[in-house]
Amino acid sequence: MPHKCKICSGNSSPAFKATILGKYSIDYFKCPTCGFVQTETPHWLEEAYKNPINYTDTGIMIRNQRFSRIITSLMVLFFDKKWKCLDYAGGYGLFTRIMRDIGFDFYWDDPYTENLTAKGFERVEGVKYDAVTTFESFEHFEDPLTEVKKILQYSNTIIFSTQLIPELTPKPEQWWYYGLEHGQHIALYSKKSFDVMAGKLGMTYYNIDNLHILTTHKMGAMAPLLNFKYAKHLLYAASYLLMPFLRSKTMDDMYALRSRGNRS
């Protein structure tokens, strides 16, 4: 029986079955119009999120390191290095701390994970941010449009990562990103699904491999460069030239925290 696509509202057709968490046989549905793939209603999420950051996420450190360099170049070359930014679903606070160490004004938010490394720089209620970053979260959204609208309460620019599902839908055993062992990945996107999402929200979508931007910000004459096949690699390399000209907040943050006298 078809399911309504949660991106374009078209009819999604059964794509395949898979076993998640080693015991639940579930159905996946693919939208023929926008390419979005979703699971059946995810009744297993309470069990899947006993540990918010799943045990097979071995890329947590290298992902934060690499994206910090790419975002550095994006901020300096396409946005504004003085922007106030929020890392949404920020996990242990690694990305927020790294970006502040580089020299950017980043803050942390995550209701499900303890902030271990960016204490004192949590999201402030009612504050609007110039940009939101959120890495490896979109594939966890049960209702993507609703979740994105929540993020838009904080900023009209969202920079995020998620793997795009190949055009020829992989079988369950052919693609690691289904995350069958942990059961947390319930929404998988194509470029077309993000184009449709952007249209519904009145935003512009840019794709940089597994990094994506949804924004109402005018990106300027350099924006077409983001569509270049190797843009992500060039942004990463450019960070080595840009970082020496940025002023780290590491010591300033320490003095600020000392002055607050917050030992929690």
Side-chain angles (χ1 to χ4, degrees):
M1 186 175 181
H3 278 214
K4 285 290 184 183
C5 173
K6 294 178 179 177
I7 303 297
C8 72
S9 301
N11 285 330
S12 294
S13 303
F16 58 87
K17 284 183 174 287
T19 301
I20 64 164
L21 293 173
K23 56 184 176 181
Y24 300 116
S25 178
I26 66 164
D27 291 310
Y28 286 73
F29 299 85
K30 182 172 184 177
C31 176
T33 303
C34 74
F36 179 67
V37 172
Q38 64 197 62
T39 67
E40 63 180 76
T41 302
H43 55 82
W44 58 89
L45 291 187
E46 184 176 352
E47 184 175 348
Y49 283 100
K50 284 182 178 178
N51 293 307
I53 297 179
N54 75 76
Y55 74 100
T56 60
D57 188 8
T58 56
I60 188 170
M61 295 300 292
I62 196 167
R63 180 172 66 248
N64 280 281
Q65 291 166 357
R66 286 178 175 172
F67 281 137
S68 71
R69 290 193 168 275
I70 295 167
I71 301 304
T72 290
S73 295
L74 279 174
M75 285 297 163
V76 174
L77 299 176
F78 294 90
F79 296 112
D80 189 328
K81 65 182 180 181
K82 295 181 180 179
W83 272 12
K84 183 188 292 288
C85 301
L86 177 70
D87 193 36
Y88 181 86
Y92 299 133
L94 290 170
F95 190 75
T96 297
R97 185 65 261 163
I98 292 171
M99 294 306 287
R100 295 191 68 84
D101 290 343
I102 292 170
F104 295 100
D105 194 19
F106 262 75
Y107 296 84
W108 170 94
D109 183 69
D110 193 325
Y112 304 107
T113 309
E114 184 182 359
N115 178 9
L116 298 177
T117 60
K119 288 184 182 296
F121 300 97
E122 292 83 6
R123 177 179 68 83
V124 176
E125 195 67 38
V127 170
K128 190 81 172 178
Y129 296 86
D130 296 297
V132 166
T133 56
T134 182
F135 303 113
E136 301 305 293
S137 61
F138 269 58
E139 62 278 4
H140 297 254
F141 293 163
E142 185 173 356
D143 187 347
L145 283 171
T146 298
E147 292 294 334
V148 172
K149 287 174 183 177
K150 288 180 184 177
I151 300 173
L152 291 175
Q153 295 175 14
Y154 306 131
S155 176
N156 291 325
T157 294
I158 309 171
I159 306 168
F160 60 100
S161 72
T162 192
Q163 296 287 334
L164 292 174
I165 191 164
E167 188 173 345
L168 184 61
T169 309
K171 295 178 180 179
E173 67 276 9
Q174 293 176 326
W175 198 37
W176 65 277
Y177 206 65
Y178 288 129
L180 302 179
E181 74 283 352
H182 56 71
Q184 296 179 0
H185 290 188
I186 58 176
L188 302 157
Y189 306 81
S190 66
K191 286 184 184 179
K192 180 68 179 296
S193 59
F194 283 131
D195 279 329
V196 171
M197 180 184 289
K200 285 192 169 187
L201 297 171
M203 307 179 80
T204 302
Y205 167 62
Y206 297 91
N207 170 242
I208 316 168
D209 192 28
N210 65 329
L211 191 70
H212 315 270
I213 302 171
L214 286 168
T215 186
T216 59
H217 180 73
K218 302 299 181 185
M219 299 282 282
M222 292 178 62
L225 296 176
L226 296 175
N227 295 319
F228 178 56
K229 182 178 180 181
Y230 299 106
K232 187 173 79 167
H233 305 287
L234 293 175
L235 289 168
Y236 182 89
S239 70
Y240 285 93
L241 300 175
L242 299 171
M243 280 185 177
F245 297 97
L246 299 171
R247 184 176 181 275
S248 172
K249 295 184 180 295
T250 305
M251 296 304 294
D252 289 345
D253 285 354
M254 181 192 70
Y255 289 124
L257 291 170
R258 277 184 175 180
S259 68
R260 294 180 204 170
N262 185 354
R263 300 176 181 272
S264 59

